[in-house]
Amino acid sequence: MNTDWQTWTALGVVIVTAGLFVLRAMRKKKGGCSSCGGANAPIPKH
Amino acid sequence: MPAAAPASDLRTDKATRESVFALVGNPNCGKSTIFNALTGLKQKVANYPGVTVEKREGTCFNQHGKRIHLIDLPGTYSLNVHSPDEAVVRDVLLGRRADTPRPDAVILITDASNIERNLYLATQVLELGLPTLLVLNMTDVAEAKQWRIDVGKLSQRLGVSVVPMQATFGKGLVELKAAMSKLGSADFQPVSSNVHPARPSASGNELEARSPSQAGSLCHLPIPPDILGGLQQTRADLIRSGTVSENVSLLEPLYLISDHDPAHYGIEDSLVNRLAAAHDVLEKKLPGWEDRLAASRYEAVEKLLLDVLRRPERDESTTTDRLDSVFLHPIWGGVCMAAIMLAVFYMIFSVAEGPMDWIDKITGSTSGWIEANMPAGDLRDLIANGIIVGVGGIVKFLPQILMLFFLIGMMEDTGYMARVAFIMDKFMGRVGLNGRSFVPFFSSYACAVPGIMATRTIASPKDRLITILIAPLASCSARLPVYTLMIAAMFPANGVSTLQKASLMLSMYVLGTGGAFAFAWLFNSTMAKGRSSLMVLEMPTYKRPSLRHVARYMLERAKMFLVRAGTVILGLSILLWAAKTYPKPGTPEPADTAAKVAYRSSQLSHSFAGRAGHFIEPVIKPLGFDWKIGIGLISSFAAREFFVSTMGIIYAVEDDGDDNVEPLKQKLAEDRWPDGRPIFTPLACLSLMVFYVFAMQCLSTVAVVKRETNGWKWPIFQIAYMTAAAWLASFVVYQGGRLLGF
């Protein structure tokens, strides 16, 4: 029984962590640059 | 303390907002220092040009308690922009940015010890017609050169208040705030100019309007009549074609059609051709008009300073001159640089050793306490062998990180770093880069992300792209833990001196720098086409380092390191623990110790992580790496330093209760190939270090390269070339070493 709750809790921590990573990646994609202060200066096409 | 907000976060409404003041000035004149002093924020400051590459905003209060919104703009020598960061200054001051209101006033920061050159920008800023306050910073440096500046006369001639300051030591801050209170008040009369159509003269000629008090002052330049006429015509043409609005002054066309801007930074694509055509028309009509205009500005500055600046006939040799005779000497300069760098790495190893051991002990005892007080199970294993080993394995390098950034901060603040740039320029010139590439490249030794952002100071798009491509080859602080672990694994017995370890570490940094230059040469001579820009590098005077600046810089970097350990590394440790734990074998773990070791080894080999390691083993075996190292290579793609955590988690060194680099080092030394040969031989460790010198292995860098190059083409290319270079270099080291009998 003791092992059971540890197994499920550990699994829960892993799943939540994986979910947070996915959310973070998605939020970055949507939001774009969050730190460049609008001074984004792409390299012009050659 | 609040963090400086990116500009895009600050939306303001003209009717309700507080006054907006912009800090403008040449690079390295102390803008960010004054910004920090006024706002209480912690923008990075250093004694070399190009530290601020984007605008930053904050708030402060004037002497009457009124809130003022401050914008710290990147340094620029002129409003004729050369690079993306300078375009930010031009566009904010002209009110061309949708995300930022046009400033209500300008605080123009000048370096008193370089007043002539600084006043060139002042001529352009004063013409803008915005209420302006001039700060004469670094008066102590000017005084050391025995320069006497008549502040009252300067103020009278410019028509603006002048505040002398020594910003590094906080001198003049109260006077500045008092002057800012006046600057924002209604009785302040903004300077006028001869380029604003909204202020017609009695004669009806809008471009000749001037008051007697302003005649001869810098805010009213004697622009040669033919150029004035030409600019008027250009303005009219651009208004007619809809390129600019009707109410713009002559200044907007003047700076937008500038031939200095190599790629029309900050200008919409649809306008570029029209502006280029307008430039060509004016150039055809008045050849060399931009040079003539610049000459007339310098002439005006020279005239103004005739009775304002008193200085010795010949400048006496200063401390800076004397130090530079050694540090910039063709031979001794290089020798000093090598000695200083070796001393840096020696101190990183020697000073940090004790505190690293303390963190080791804390981590080990925490892990041991959990093992002893928690019943066996997956959660205990996750905490003790996943989280604590993973995060603790990285946190133990904090003393080295602190030491590294303390020493870098000292070199930056004294002004020595600009000398390193000067010495390196010789080599950079040979591979087709210029001095401006040095600061971004040097910043990458701390972290490639700000380094790549700092490439915005580079005018030539070609040089900028090449610098972005090579920047991650500078050994960043995330590589430090990997190098340290491998050096420890190379010499498991304590018979090697700190100097030898420091030399080996330094050689990795040299290898990365040499590799970066080699690739810059290759890219310069093959793929990238375009015009190279000239070397522009200002030598700052040597200064006594401000311990406050250095400590702030060091603590900021330490905070970033710990935040990363507590977020990304923590998350990755949890995921890696899961990948090495699942799927679980169907049979329970045996009680017998030998059988338990075999059981765990088999379990790891069949886990998700083990399978991934086995999958890439054929590719990395020629480099001397086995499947366990393969797991480390895969997991550290997200963050290089995670390799150390991975090794800790994989080798599960927690059992003896003293689990850190020392036991991990022993575990690595004891690990064997199936045929009994040791895996972590000195040659394999060297091969692994070389791999990490060249490999990309950083998702944050990939993201910033994508943003700065506006697409996936260059980051994909960068990952491909760096991974190929890492493999090839490791292969040469390992196989070459074996051929030589190592």
Side-chain angles (χ1 to χ4, degrees), chain A residues 2-3 5-7 9-11 13-14 17-18 21 24 33-46, chain B residues 6-8 54-56 84 97 99 263 375-380 456 464-465 571-572 574-575 578 582 707-708 710:
Chain A
N2 188 34
T3 309
W5 77 260
Q6 286 214 26
T7 304
T9 312
L11 260 177
V13 172
V14 171
T17 306
F21 269 106
R24 194 167 175 251
C33 163
S34 62
S35 61
C36 63
N40 202 349
I43 294 275
K45 290 183 176 65
H46 295 281
Chain B
S8 55
E54 61 188 34
K55 65 190 168 71
R56 286 284 168 181
R97 289 181 68 105
D99 61 351
D378 276 1
L379 188 61
R380 186 184 83 170
R456 292 175 187 180
R464 187 171 171 226
L465 178 60
L572 288 173
I574 292 170
L575 295 183
Y582 301 109
R707 194 181 76 202
E708 296 291 313
N710 211 20

Side-chain angles (χ1 to χ4, degrees), chain B residues 41-80:
Chain B
L41 292 172
K42 298 170 185 168
Q43 283 303 294
K44 184 183 173 185
V45 291
N47 188 13
Y48 59 78
V51 175
T52 309
V53 294
E54 61 188 34
K55 65 190 168 71
R56 286 284 168 181
E57 309 193 15
T59 48
C60 69
F61 296 88
N62 68 13
Q63 285 238 314
H64 305 302
K66 191 188 166 202
R67 271 170 76 97
I68 291 172
H69 189 82
L70 267 189
I71 307 176
D72 180 24
L73 291 169
T76 183
Y77 295 107
S78 159
L79 294 183
N80 294 101

